[in-house]
Amino acid sequence: MNERGERRDSRFRRWILHWFDASVAERAAASDPRRGVDPKQAFSLVFLHAGCLLVPGVGWSPFAVATAVALYALRAFFVTAFYHRYLSHRAFKTSRPAQLVFAALGGTAVQRGPLWWAAHHRQHHSHTEQEGDPHSPHRDGFLWSHIGWITARENFPTKLHLVPDLARFPELRWLDRFDLAAPAVYAAALFAIGAVLARVAPGLGTDGPQLLVWGFFVSTVILFHVTSLVNSGAHSFGRKRYPTRDESRNSFLIALLTMGEGWHNNHHHYPGAARNGFFWWELDVTYYALRLLGWLGVVWDLNPVPRRALVPKRAAVPEAS
């Protein structure tokens, strides 16, 4: 191979590493002082949304749509229960093997790695609606808080100093570094299952491409926007029961779509609880599922909401001079 070919081969290898190894892309982003869009994250979002355009080509079947709905709900639970309440807030305990399994399953939602997700969420709670909040609709606008922030070059690196309790696990660091591994396995499994079903159960009317499009692309894109709605919508509209120092709101609609994350003002009032729906009438499917896993012995020590935290405190009234 001549020198020109070697340079081309070297560039290709660097591109492959940049795409599949997040640590390479993170070093590139950290060494670039410019603010702007990170190409890897932007391309990932465009790729996922473009995949939904294949629906007319692959058609639909009741089985494929049901699969998309079921996998949306299942992966929403992995994100809300384990990426959010466990990894970000340590709201309950589980074993190290279960921690790895659920972190990998959460990775199938294509919302980056577990350490990246938890670190940025902790940063959000530390600086909500202030300088340093990566996705405040009141500082940077609704669209930025919904989708723009995740494409920003400055938000691409994992802030390991914010998650030292998690960074000590090499298996979690591997999942974070190769954050496309879990989605790739998930997508390949869907295609393979669809291809098998086309042969052994043709009455279902599905095949590999159809199950891939509905179970991966459609389901993932809807889950992404519903998760993002907590950042944007749950800080823009709804009821504010507790006088927190931010604009978090409670929204039944968002809670319904996100399996309980829409009780966001509750969550910002007392973020360490394993439940976001503080009262029986506040639907929190994630918490109910965690209770079931607790009964099975998979998780334990679910942090309760203290009685003192349930009563809203009145905002301070300045004394008369």
Side-chain angles (χ1 to χ4, degrees):
M1 183 181 294
N2 57 33
E3 183 178 348
R4 185 175 182 180
E6 289 178 354
R7 287 200 303 268
R8 185 167 58 247
D9 184 61
S10 177
R11 286 196 300 270
F12 179 73
R13 286 199 302 270
R14 286 199 302 270
W15 184 87
I16 291 294
L17 284 174
H18 186 277
W19 180 248
F20 289 100
D21 187 343
S23 66
V24 175
E26 287 181 355
R27 287 195 297 271
S31 63
D32 191 340
R34 297 174 301 168
R35 294 174 62 89
V37 173
D38 179 82
K40 176 183 176 181
Q41 192 58 37
F43 183 82
S44 297
L45 289 176
V46 171
F47 176 74
L48 287 173
H49 286 75
C52 296
L53 301 178
L54 298 174
V55 166
V58 300
W60 75 280
S61 66
F63 183 82
V65 174
T67 298
V69 173
L71 291 175
Y72 162 84
L74 195 59
R75 291 184 297 152
F77 172 72
F78 298 145
V79 171
T80 62
F82 288 90
Y83 263 35
H84 183 206
R85 304 188 197 190
Y86 176 71
L87 293 174
S88 300
H89 294 291
R90 316 297 278 175
F92 56 90
K93 296 178 182 177
T94 191
S95 65
R96 185 170 177 177
Q99 172 182 270
L100 172 61
V101 169
F102 285 110
L105 292 172
T108 63
V110 201
Q111 295 183 18
R112 294 292 308 278
L115 304 188
W116 181 92
W117 205 105
H120 280 80
H121 190 71
R122 292 181 184 184
Q123 180 182 352
H124 164 65
H125 273 269
S126 297
H127 305 282
T128 312
E129 257 77 84
Q130 301 172 13
E131 183 71 29
D133 185 349
H135 46 66
S136 169
H138 299 278
R139 288 185 57 86
D140 304 299
F142 189 92
L143 187 60
W144 174 266
S145 70
H146 188 80
I147 195 172
W149 76 277
I150 203 172
T151 69
R153 184 181 286 112
E154 63 267 26
N155 289 328
F156 190 84
T158 299
K159 298 174 173 62
L160 291 176
H161 65 282
L162 297 178
V163 287
D165 54 321
L166 305 176
R168 64 189 180 92
F169 296 107
E171 62 271 24
L172 293 185
R173 295 189 70 151
W174 189 93
L175 285 174
D176 203 68
R177 178 179 178 180
F178 300 102
D179 56 2
L180 290 179
V185 172
Y186 168 70
L190 280 170
F191 186 90
I193 292 170
V196 171
L197 289 176
R199 288 177 173 270
V200 302
L204 293 176
T206 193
D207 55 23
Q210 185 186 84
L211 211 57
L212 174 66
V213 169
W214 283 94
F216 180 72
F217 288 105
V218 175
S219 180
T220 300
V221 166
I222 294 174
L223 177 56
F224 171 81
H225 284 290
V226 167
T227 303
S228 296
L229 195 59
V230 178
N231 297 336
S232 54
H235 280 264
S236 301
F237 52 81
R239 180 188 175 198
K240 187 172 184 178
R241 172 187 289 133
Y242 300 103
T244 55
R245 292 180 297 175
D246 53 61
E247 295 304 319
S248 57
R249 296 288 191 272
N250 286 339
S251 167
F252 174 78
L253 176 60
I254 297 178
L256 185 65
L257 294 172
T258 60
M259 303 179 71
E261 299 295 274
W263 308 117
H264 205 52
N265 181 240
N266 292 357
H267 175 61
H268 272 264
H269 175 61
Y270 195 82
R275 63 187 305 173
N276 285 354
F278 286 1
F279 301 95
W280 66 265
W281 60 84
E282 294 178 336
L283 184 67
D284 190 348
V285 177
T286 294
Y287 178 68
Y288 308 149
L290 284 173
R291 289 288 299 271
L292 175 61
L293 290 180
W295 182 75
L296 295 172
V298 178
V299 303
W300 56 88
D301 291 350
L302 275 66
N303 292 345
V305 182
R307 186 177 297 275
R308 58 178 170 78
L310 294 175
V311 180
K313 296 180 179 179
R314 294 183 179 180
V317 178
E319 296 180 2
S321 56

